[in-house]
Structure formats: structure tokens, C-alpha cells
Amino acid sequence: KYTKFSVFYYWIDSRGQTTSISRKLENVIIPSGKENTTATLSYDYRIMPLENMFSTGTYYCRVEWNDIQQSGKGVFVLARGTGYVETSYGWEILITLTALLATLSITATALFLWKRQ
């Protein structure tokens, strides 16, 4: 009963729209002596390079037997356009702090020398 099943791959975009990716029909042959035991099969599915940023969404796998459906938890994929650079303000903050401290140091030194005279 459970040797014939279908494997579906689909994704749900940010608007909640479901798009089918792939469907495979499987017929697993059970070796002699392995009847009535639990078997685990792995199925790898590679998502080819995403066409655009609109491929962002959660990707799912669903298996259907005659009267049973099981879905995976899904994997969220965030697609970004080419050339995107994560912004980092580390260097800007360091340069600003250094310039501010240098200015204060020069000003304090000038005031100290001026007071001495």
C-alpha cells in the first residue's frame, strides 16, 4: 500500500501564493524479509540558480500516499539581487571617533599652551 507515493516540491512566496516546482511518482521495491518495517528514504532536490529576487519564499516538500499527506517544515530562502553589499558602519564610526578625539586633543593642547603664557 505504501510503496507507491508522490513527492511534491513547491514554494510559497511573500504574498502567500503557492507555486509548484516539481512532482515525482515513486514506486519503491521492498526487499524480501523487509516487509512491515519502517524505511527511511532521502530525496535531495537542488534548486537551480534563482532567476530573480522574487524567488524569495519558503520551499516545501510534501509526500502523498493513497490517503495520507505529510509535509516538511519548509526552508526559507532569501534571494537578493547581484551586487548587494551588507552595509557596515564599523569603519565610519572608528574614523569619526578618531577625528573627534584628535580635534579635542589638539584643542586641549592649544588651550593649555595659551594658558601657560
Side-chain angles (χ1 to χ4, degrees):
K1 178 179 177 179
Y2 298 109
T3 59
K4 294 179 183 177
F5 55 92
S6 298
V7 180
F8 298 91
Y9 295 98
Y10 63 97
W11 69 287
I12 299 176
D13 64 14
S14 59
R15 296 174 303 208
Q17 184 177 1
T18 301
T19 304
S20 178
I21 299 172
S22 171
R23 178 182 181 189
K24 284 172 60 173
L25 296 172
E26 293 289 337
N27 187 10
V28 178
I29 298 171
I30 299 173
S32 180
K34 295 290 185 174
E35 298 88 354
N36 297 324
T37 60
T38 300
T40 302
L41 302 173
S42 295
Y43 289 90
D44 294 331
Y45 186 80
R46 180 182 209 120
I47 298 172
M48 298 317 286
L50 305 172
E51 292 90 30
N52 54 41
M53 297 184 324
F54 302 110
S55 297
T56 293
T58 306
Y59 289 74
Y60 294 93
C61 171
R62 183 177 75 233
V63 178
E64 292 182 359
W65 291 274
N66 294 334
D67 55 348
I68 301 172
Q69 290 186 13
Q70 288 289 321
S71 291
K73 295 178 183 178
V75 174
F76 180 75
V77 174
L78 174 61
R80 295 181 173 169
T82 58
Y84 178 84
V85 177
E86 187 75 40
T87 55
S88 171
Y89 298 104
W91 284 106
E92 289 84 353
I93 292 171
L94 181 63
I95 291 170
T96 303
L97 253 160
T98 303
L100 180 65
L101 289 174
T103 303
L104 287 173
S105 176
I106 292 169
T107 304
T109 302
L111 285 172
F112 179 72
L113 290 175
W114 178 68
K115 271 294 209 186
R116 243 178 125 179
Q117 291 177 354

